[in-house]
Amino acid sequence: MHIFYTPDINSNTLILSEEESKHCIKVLRLDAGSLLHLVDGIGGFYDAIIEDPHPKRTKLKIVKKIENFAKRNHYLHIAIAPTKNIERIEWFLEKATEIGIDEITPIICDRSERKELKTERLNKVITSAVKQSIKAFHPKLNEAIRFSDFISKNTNTQKFIAHCMDEGKVTIKDQLIPKGNYLIIIGPEGDFTFQELEAAVNNNFIPISLGESRLRTETAALEACFEINFLNR
């Protein structure tokens, strides 16, 4: 199955971008009449036929559309402190997209080792995972924001913060309201400071545990992603 990400579908005909056209014609060697599939990132899944196999501007005709393809029954937003090794955050984005996630926000904490991110590159990782895992919804990647600014935003969600301190934690399954909107914050390798945790609790975040093991940042975030999806089956 050949999947192409095409976020600007507004008619029954479409010209693929130069990058996607090259992949379609030069790499996959598809020709006129070939069937391929499109996802628009907002729930649309399409069947399309190649009309003009041009290596820079391939023209397609859409023959079928499915709306809200494989839409999940909940919304998951994970805010995560960027890892020093950028490949580890890329790994998280890839795997979380495959499992199921709706929104990601990089947060800069007091102990964060990385303060800046190039979201263009990270969005390409997400897009690749969307196509690989046949997802019609493209997760939203926000620009990095300071922890203190992020937690002060009002949201109509269940809000959790995962930390490594010894006391005052519950499990997600004991607090989860099924089929809801969830926001989970994952801190840096050195964990949150006590002041950050206190500020989050004062902003109605519930402290949670992700098990007995001490997990790396990206592993903790993926574990949270898996738990939310598992509990909403």
Side-chain angles (χ1 to χ4, degrees), residues 28-187:
L28 298 177
R29 299 188 179 279
L30 301 180
D31 206 342
S34 296
L35 174 68
L36 47 79
H37 305 282
L38 315 174
V39 291
D40 61 11
I42 54 174
F45 182 92
Y46 305 78
D47 292 347
I49 299 293
I50 296 177
E51 288 193 330
D52 180 12
H54 194 284
K56 290 187 177 181
R57 48 182 185 277
T58 295
K59 183 179 180 181
L60 309 177
K61 180 181 179 180
I62 294 172
V63 296
K64 182 180 178 181
K65 177 184 178 181
I66 301 174
E67 295 183 349
N68 293 319
F69 178 78
K71 182 177 176 61
R72 295 175 301 120
N73 62 4
H74 59 281
Y75 190 94
L76 175 58
H77 180 182
I78 289 185
I80 179 172
T83 53
K84 184 177 181 180
N85 182 343
I86 195 63
E87 292 181 355
R88 286 163 50 192
I89 202 73
E90 290 177 357
W91 176 86
F92 161 70
L93 292 172
E94 178 184 77
K95 301 309 175 188
T97 299
E98 292 174 6
I99 292 172
I101 193 170
D102 300 282
E103 187 172 356
I104 307 102
T105 300
I107 51 170
I108 308 305
C109 303
D110 288 344
R111 294 173 177 161
S112 291
E113 293 184 280
R114 177 180 288 274
K115 306 293 185 181
E116 296 180 355
L117 284 175
K118 294 182 178 179
T119 54
E120 181 180 358
R121 161 63 186 167
L122 298 181
N123 263 313
K124 288 182 178 180
V125 172
I126 294 173
T127 298
S128 178
V130 163
K131 294 191 291 185
Q132 190 278 328
S133 57
I134 317 177
K135 294 284 193 292
F137 291 90
H138 192 291
K140 178 183 179 183
L141 177 63
N142 298 314
E143 294 294 331
I145 184 174
R146 289 206 60 81
F147 174 88
S148 56
D149 295 329
F150 182 76
I151 63 167
S152 64
K153 294 178 179 291
N154 293 320
T155 58
N156 296 318
T157 62
Q158 275 195 281
K159 301 191 293 186
F160 304 99
I161 180 168
H163 67 88
C164 300
M165 300 178 203
D166 291 333
E167 299 179 356
K169 293 181 287 188
V170 297
T171 61
I172 294 176
K173 67 178 181 180
D174 291 334
Q175 294 290 325
L176 188 86
I177 299 174
K179 301 179 182 180
N181 290 352
Y182 314 107
L183 168 59
I184 302 177
I185 299 183
I186 307 293

Side-chain angles (χ1 to χ4, degrees), residues 6 18 33 133 135 169 176 199 209 228-229 232:
T6 51
E18 183 172 345
S133 57
K135 294 284 193 292
K169 293 181 287 188
L176 188 86
S209 167
I228 292 292
N229 281 280
N232 278 284

